[in-house]
Amino acid sequence: MITSTFQNITSLNKQRLEALFLLSPLVVLLISIFNIADAKSILSRLIPLVGLYCLWFYREAIKQNLQTARTHPLIVMSFTAFLFFGSAHLLRGDAFGYSRTLVTCLAYLILLPWAKISRQYLIWLLPIAAIFCGLNAFYEFWALDIPRVGIATNPIPYALFCAVMTLTSLHAMFTAQSLQLRMIGAVGSCFAGAALVLTDVRGVILFFPVVLTYMILRVLRTSYRGYVAVLLATAVVCGFGYKAFEKKIDKRIAVTVQEVAKITSGNFDTSIGSRLILWQRGINSFSRAPILGVGDIRLEEDIKALSIHGANIQPHLHNQYIDTLARYGILGLFIQLAWLLSPLFYNKSQGGVGIKLDPLLSSLILMIALAGLTDVPFHHTHLVYLFTMLSGAWLLMQNGELSKK
């Protein structure tokens, strides 16, 4: 009996170690690449290693993953986006980073035996990663005296990462049955939320309360009075966040007021003014090639020709939708939007496509969509990794233990 018990414990530990190895790209993604410079290179090497392991031991998982109804739209649209944007690279020299990242994520999602890995691994990993996110921001802000945290990437994509980590931690806090997980979720949401404020990124901070309110309403599914209570609670939480970082927020508000005053007087040489000039130039570029866009090289030339210094040094248009329209036209924007929304769709068993507004996934998509109004999230391959791997893993993982066949 003792021998049997020992063997069971040993087998369970091996399963957990294997699960940790299989999920190690997700661990590196969530804990390292946004917090440590050049850590993204680890991810690009780790995924092929894990993929080869899965090809050796779990070849049967490929067919199962490709046939999974809830992830079929994500996989199909990811492959479609890879082909379209990859073709633009081959035909006119556009950047290949987005397409390369997509195909790497696709390999990871298709090869792993997700149905044998409990989603609990990911549910625990997310708030823990949020705590690391906060600790990194505190270190940069107070120890390194960096006014806008996120030096591993830059503050703008880091802010979106912080927002995603906050939302996932709050989701764990609201939905977990384990008191311990709820407490870790609460700590993670506080740490990542504080990191978000320390990025000093106005667009993401402004949109975050909207997404937070949406997610809480989707999770709780309460009555009309409950909706009012949720709105009041969100306002109170935002109020506490404001008081905690009052001086920093007030300073940013004062800068914004000054920028608006300059713009109204005709001076566009400000952060907001530069964005307005860039958006106008992007629309002009789009009008010259509305179907397929002008491409990276011509858009870069258009940006450099601007007279405003704050605008002509930018690598993109600071708006995901205008930027994609200018580079890849209406067809490119349609493909990218379909890819962004694809985790919400699934193939019906009787045929056709259905939609499921999963509270966590729909909140993350809404956060990214709103952030895209003032930045280009998918210009940063860190965020392409985050969105594709996180949404795919969330859809593919099931409640169950890992076991070899």
Side-chain angles (χ1 to χ4, degrees), residues 135-150:
L135 292 174
N136 174 74
F138 300 156
Y139 174 72
E140 290 185 12
F141 187 75
W142 280 295
L144 300 182
D145 198 25
I146 297 173
R148 299 184 69 191
V149 301

Side-chain angles (χ1 to χ4, degrees), residues 29-40:
L29 168 67
L30 295 171
I31 292 180
S32 299
I33 74 169
F34 286 91
N35 298 322
I36 302 173
D38 299 324
K40 189 173 66 172

